[in-house]
Amino acid sequence: MSVLAEFSMSPMDKGESVSKYVARNLEIIADSGVPYRLGPMGTCLEGEWDEVFGVIKKCYERMSEDCRRISVAIKLDIRQGASDRLTAKIAKVEKLVGRELNK
Amino acid sequence: MSVLAEFSMSPMDKGESVSKYVARNLEIIADSGVPYRLGPMGTCLEGEWDEVFGVIKKCYERMSEDCRRISVAIKLDIRQGASDRLTAKIAKVEKLVGRELNK
Amino acid sequence: MSVLAEFSMSPMDKGESVSKYVARNLEIIADSGVPYRLGPMGTCLEGEWDEVFGVIKKCYERMSEDCRRISVAIKLDIRQGASDRLTAKIAKVEKLVGRELNK
Amino acid sequence: MSVLAEFSMSPMDKGESVSKYVARNLEIIADSGVPYRLGPMGTCLEGEWDEVFGVIKKCYERMSEDCRRISVAIKLDIRQGASDRLTAKIAKVEKLVGRELNK
């Protein structure tokens, strides 16, 4: 199974700018060894269920140390017999459209 | 911590009607003992992180037995020192609005 | 077409408690005449595309008057030849499960 | 106001592979002139409210021509006095982390 997850996690009680907290999570993600890709609205991870949710839980535990209210959105696309979808999904769409897309 | 989660999980490869698969998940959820509430677009659960994600993982494992592609959306609102938010959040909004709302 | 939408909208710059802003939106929603249902994690609306997004835009315009950063999540389930799904989807799942569910 | 939106839109009634329908939407998006960025789990758009939702509605109208059930997820991050956030948000996080990230 390829579990492709996109997630975003933000404190609600730290005011308008939350990039410090997002950066902290990205360190956890980059150090995890799980393939990932940072986007403007969230980070995509690919792996087995427990790998992916292991990383998300670590981010949550770190954020809960100093944040009182946390908002999280997780979207999953899980598919049997698939792999390398962090890059393969975009490549397939681009091929079908037949021109270069912004990515 | 009160981890309030709403999630929906659907097979992509079973055609237009997926209520059979949703019903199967609701049996898992209702049997879990974790407080829940079924809505038109998803099910809300409230508990600790591991309780909530334990139930969601069970639903995923059951669905992956006979579905090849699965789409999942999870939204979390996590708050320190809060509880009973499956009902308390709605009650608070209704009190502030000062009239009965559809719920 | 039945456009069934669930949405949540919160300011990021008003601290931990945002119920005042949610309540203000619920007044707009309840006054719109579009069928709705308030849940613990968002509000479901049912109508045509323009009806549903007309209400959501009104909520956004009101919130942008005094909030500098706003987070919104919208999930849509759109289906031809369907109607009354604010109640019908839950009823169908409950019938399939064969017992009363929390709702 | 910078309305930064990520959205994904898939038919529920066309089986496991939906890339044909995603590609069709990407043509609409790329032709719209609204700045966008394709990712593994959705497409981000940046503009004013009506620009962004104008593009999403066009995608919906095209898909509803030959699909009976459609699932859509939209996430918005709206911020006053901000711009160019399709690239600026990632750059800021990378600077804070102090090393190159996968993006």
Side-chain angles (χ1 to χ4, degrees), chain B residues 26-40:
Chain B
L26 261 297
E27 288 181 21
I28 294 169
I29 294 163
D31 288 344
S32 72
V34 175
Y36 74 97
R37 188 187 144 128
L38 172 61

Side-chain angles (χ1 to χ4, degrees), chain C residues 22-103:
Chain C
V22 175
R24 234 165 50 176
N25 274 1
L26 260 297
E27 287 181 21
I28 293 170
I29 293 164
D31 288 344
S32 74
V34 176
Y36 75 96
R37 186 184 144 130
L38 172 61
M41 290 291 283
T43 302
C44 291
L45 299 171
E46 187 178 20
E48 296 297 319
W49 181 279
D50 286 341
E51 287 175 319
V52 165
F53 281 98
V55 174
I56 295 174
K57 189 183 173 186
K58 263 191 194 159
C59 291
Y60 155 67
E61 287 174 337
R62 178 70 185 91
M63 199 173 281
S64 65
E65 286 172 19
D66 55 3
C67 300
R68 289 187 47 82
R69 189 168 191 180
I70 301 167
S71 179
V72 186
I74 306 171
K75 202 163 63 167
L76 305 170
D77 173 14
I78 304 169
R79 194 168 184 179
Q80 274 192 13
S83 61
D84 295 326
R85 292 195 297 156
L86 285 173
T87 52
K89 285 178 75 178
I90 294 173
K92 189 171 182 189
V93 169
E94 198 164 44
K95 195 180 164 193
L96 284 168
V97 174
R99 52 174 148 153
E100 216 181 331
L101 299 167
N102 298 341
K103 61 204 180 263

